[in-house]
Amino acid sequence: MRAFVLTLASLAAGCGAAAAGEGARPELAAWTYTFTVDPSLTRLEATVCFEGPPPSALTPIDAAGARYLRGAEGPLGPEAAPLSVEGRAIATAHLPPDACVAYVVDLDAAARQRGGLHGAYRIDGDLIAATGVWLWAPRERAEDARVTARFELPDDVRLSPLWARAGGGRHRLDERAFRFTAYAAFGRFETVNVGVPGACLHVSVLGGGVRMGTDGLVRSLRGSADAVSMMFGEFPVRRASILAVPTPFSTTSPFGIVGRGTLPTVAILVGDRAEEARLARAWVPVHELAHLAMPFVDREDAWLAEGIATYYQEILRARAGLFPPEQAWRNLDDGFRRGARDGTGRSLREESRDMMRTAAYRRVYWAGAAIALLADVEMRARSNGRRSLDDALERLRDCCADRTAPMSGREALERLDAEMPGVIAPIARRWLGADEFPDLRAAYARLGLTRSEDGLGIDPSLETRTLREAIVAPRVDLAPIPRCGPHRADRSEASTESTPPNP
């Protein structure tokens, strides 16, 4: 593709601003992408071919992606000309039907922004680039549009599993690809296919690897996924891509992030000096994978999604035998104490809404986890052990896992409450409006837990032990582990992947 000449007229304007005088246009029903990257992974070129009349514009799926655009032209062919950019939108309304356009993204500039896993991130010779950095989509598009993509990569460069496969080397995209950010890796890394109960995981080990070796790293991440399978008896989704990203000066896993799309993508930092036994017990991989048990909830309601994941990071590790049950209760209590000391003195609803600005993470995460514990204990007590928070979350997953837009916290609560009406929602509403940390004394009494200056006391008597042990009891009704293709994937992802049967 020849070099582009483009005047970026007003990239600082609002995202998706319409061209002056532009009338309503029909929603685009089908289009295709072809993506290429150069061998040094510094530049991505995209060709977008529309079927029928073009949209008014192409816009980045994340407004921040506009800063990395380096040019656009169309319609492709002898009369191709630079396309103008107005208000973070590539103008395409004047193009003829069935036109193809092209745009170029500076991946190197994105990596230099130091946005970490949220943007673009280099690790040795490999590159992680969130789709928010490089994916642009028609402004007017049908919810059920037919969209495919193909990647033309240098011979020694591979792509981590990203979207659903459509056959013939193509990917299939639905509206989730444009509403949610996903995480893609380009490079010379190795991908290992791993089966867990009811699902196939594709683990891409980036960079120079870790001291424990790829096999040890994959075993530890598979153990985390097995733990998450203890929530429903199967892993929450049928397929997921995991990017294992070595990070220096760490002996554990300090951070992770979840991407949504036609295929969930989870990027996890892994200490390059981590030992397998320690990483296998780490909370970060379990926390991030547990997020897949819920649809994406609006960020202002982070208390719900993060609270659920924080509660289960302890409960699931105990269920899987990664540490003794007593350790789970002590970990939870320690987190609750820290969460009660954190925050800005406002209600949990306000803390959650402003968390990214105030950094009141402990208050939001652990207050949400406390609400999860209160709900779980109450559901089990009212039903004599026949219903639990697991059941409410499974109902939510079954109804709404494939949503193409974020779910509000209010709707998520209503759907969770449907499993046992009048339990979860009232508990949540009580503490969302309060400026104090949730009161756990009654739940602790039911569980046989007592606090003191010396730590957490655990009552061994049968009366309280029964409920406590039921919460951390391992699942025995696990789904079969599917065949997920060769253990080591070759370069052709399409030829090695398989999808587990419907549950």
Side-chain angles (χ1 to χ4, degrees):
M1 185 183 299
R2 69 174 184 271
F4 290 113
V5 178
L6 173 65
T7 300
L8 302 183
S10 56
L11 280 180
C15 178
E22 185 65 48
R25 300 182 68 85
E27 295 177 334
L28 196 64
W31 68 95
T32 63
Y33 293 98
T34 301
F35 298 104
T36 65
V37 297
D38 66 308
S40 59
L41 310 180
T42 60
R43 172 185 173 99
L44 178 141
E45 299 181 354
T47 299
V48 189
C49 293
F50 311 121
E51 290 188 19
S56 64
L58 291 175
T59 58
I61 68 165
D62 185 319
R67 71 184 65 168
Y68 309 119
L69 183 69
R70 293 297 177 263
E73 69 173 10
L76 298 187
E79 298 184 3
L83 297 173
S84 65
V85 174
E86 303 168 357
R88 296 193 181 119
I90 301 171
T92 57
H94 64 287
L95 298 175
D98 302 323
C100 294
V101 302
Y103 66 85
V104 168
V105 171
D106 189 340
L107 297 176
D108 201 43
R112 292 197 304 271
Q113 284 290 316
R114 299 187 180 277
L117 299 180
H118 294 278
Y121 180 82
R122 290 197 182 278
I123 174 71
D124 297 330
D126 301 328
L127 176 77
I128 296 177
T131 52
V133 168
W134 50 269
L135 182 60
W136 291 57
R139 175 183 286 149
E140 300 86 13
R141 56 182 185 266
E143 183 84 12
D144 58 351
R146 293 177 289 104
V147 188
T148 61
R150 180 166 53 91
F151 288 83
E152 296 180 348
L153 303 176
D155 287 342
D156 62 341
V157 172
R158 71 187 313 156
L159 169 72
S160 62
L162 177 60
W163 293 312
R165 299 303 304 222
R170 287 195 168 274
H171 301 254
R172 182 178 67 256
L173 288 69
D174 61 25
E175 185 63 17
R176 291 172 295 176
F178 312 117
R179 297 285 186 94
F180 303 118
T181 294
Y183 300 94
F186 301 90
R188 285 85 180 171
F189 50 82
E190 181 177 29
T191 296
V192 179
N193 298 318
V194 179
V196 296
C200 290
L201 306 182
H202 309 288
V203 182
S204 299
V205 183
L206 308 185
V210 293
R211 185 166 64 184
M212 74 175 72
T214 295
D215 288 343
L217 174 57
V218 170
R219 279 194 300 268
S220 67
L221 294 177
R222 182 176 58 202
S224 298
D226 286 339
V228 174
S229 301
M230 292 282 172
M231 187 185 297
F232 303 145
E234 62 184 5
F235 196 71
V237 296
R238 294 171 61 200
R239 265 187 73 216
S241 173
I242 300 177
L243 308 180
V245 187
T247 185
F249 315 119
S250 175
T251 58
T252 184
S253 175
F255 180 75
I257 192 168
V258 176
R260 310 282 180 155
T262 55
L263 174 72
T265 55
V266 183
I268 298 175
L269 291 181
V270 177
D272 60 0
R273 295 178 294 155
E275 296 180 356
E276 182 178 347
R278 183 175 183 185
L279 185 62
R281 297 190 300 271
W283 67 267
V284 168
V286 176
H287 179 101
E288 301 304 335
L289 296 176
H291 274 301
L292 301 180
M294 291 183 64
F296 183 83
V297 176
D298 283 336
R299 295 189 186 281
E300 67 180 26
D301 295 311
W303 71 269
L304 178 56
E306 296 297 350
I308 292 292
T310 300
Y311 174 62
Y312 275 100
Q313 77 192 26
E314 309 302 338
I315 297 302
L316 295 174
R317 286 189 292 165
R319 288 183 188 177
L322 298 180
F323 51 49
E326 293 78 9
Q327 186 65 47
W329 299 115
R330 292 194 169 96
N331 288 353
L332 284 170
D333 184 64
D334 180 65
F336 296 148
R337 292 175 192 244
R338 287 183 283 122
R341 294 192 297 266
D342 194 34
T344 63
R346 299 179 300 160
S347 71
L348 178 57
R349 181 180 289 106
E350 294 171 309
E351 296 280 31
S352 184
R353 182 193 64 206
D354 300 332
M355 181 180 71
M356 301 304 291
R357 179 174 60 83
T358 64
Y361 299 107
R362 288 191 183 96
R363 168 74 194 286
V364 173
Y365 281 45
W366 285 104
I371 291 172
L373 173 62
L374 291 171
D376 201 6
V377 168
E378 186 66 22
M379 291 183 71
R380 290 173 185 270
R382 288 196 190 185
S383 66
N384 292 319
R386 293 188 297 272
R387 291 289 184 273
S388 71
L389 186 58
D390 297 358
D391 301 309
L393 287 166
E394 188 169 15
R395 175 192 286 260
L396 179 64
R397 190 249 345 226
D398 291 347
C399 82
C400 306
D402 295 333
R403 282 176 64 109
T404 59
M407 176 179 284
S408 70
R410 174 176 297 189
E411 181 184 353
L413 271 181
E414 290 174 352
R415 291 185 177 276
L416 287 169
D417 207 48
E419 180 66 24
M420 185 179 288
V423 176
I424 299 176
I427 290 172
R429 284 194 290 265
R430 161 71 179 87
W431 295 108
L432 277 172
D435 57 8
E436 69 266 29
F437 197 82
D439 187 346
L440 295 166
R441 287 175 296 181
Y444 271 35
R446 283 174 165 175
L447 293 165
L449 306 176
T450 56
R451 279 181 170 176
S452 70
E453 293 183 359
D454 297 328
L456 186 72
I458 301 177
D459 181 5
S461 66
L462 179 62
E463 182 179 359
T464 58
R465 193 178 71 211
T466 300
L467 175 59
R468 193 173 64 238
E469 291 182 349
I471 293 175
V472 295
R475 297 283 295 249
V476 296
D477 56 337
L478 295 178
I481 296 175
R483 181 182 179 277
C484 298
H487 183 60
R488 291 300 202 277
D490 63 27
R491 188 178 176 278
S492 173
E493 180 194 355
S495 69
T496 62
E497 289 185 9
S498 64
T499 302
N502 287 318

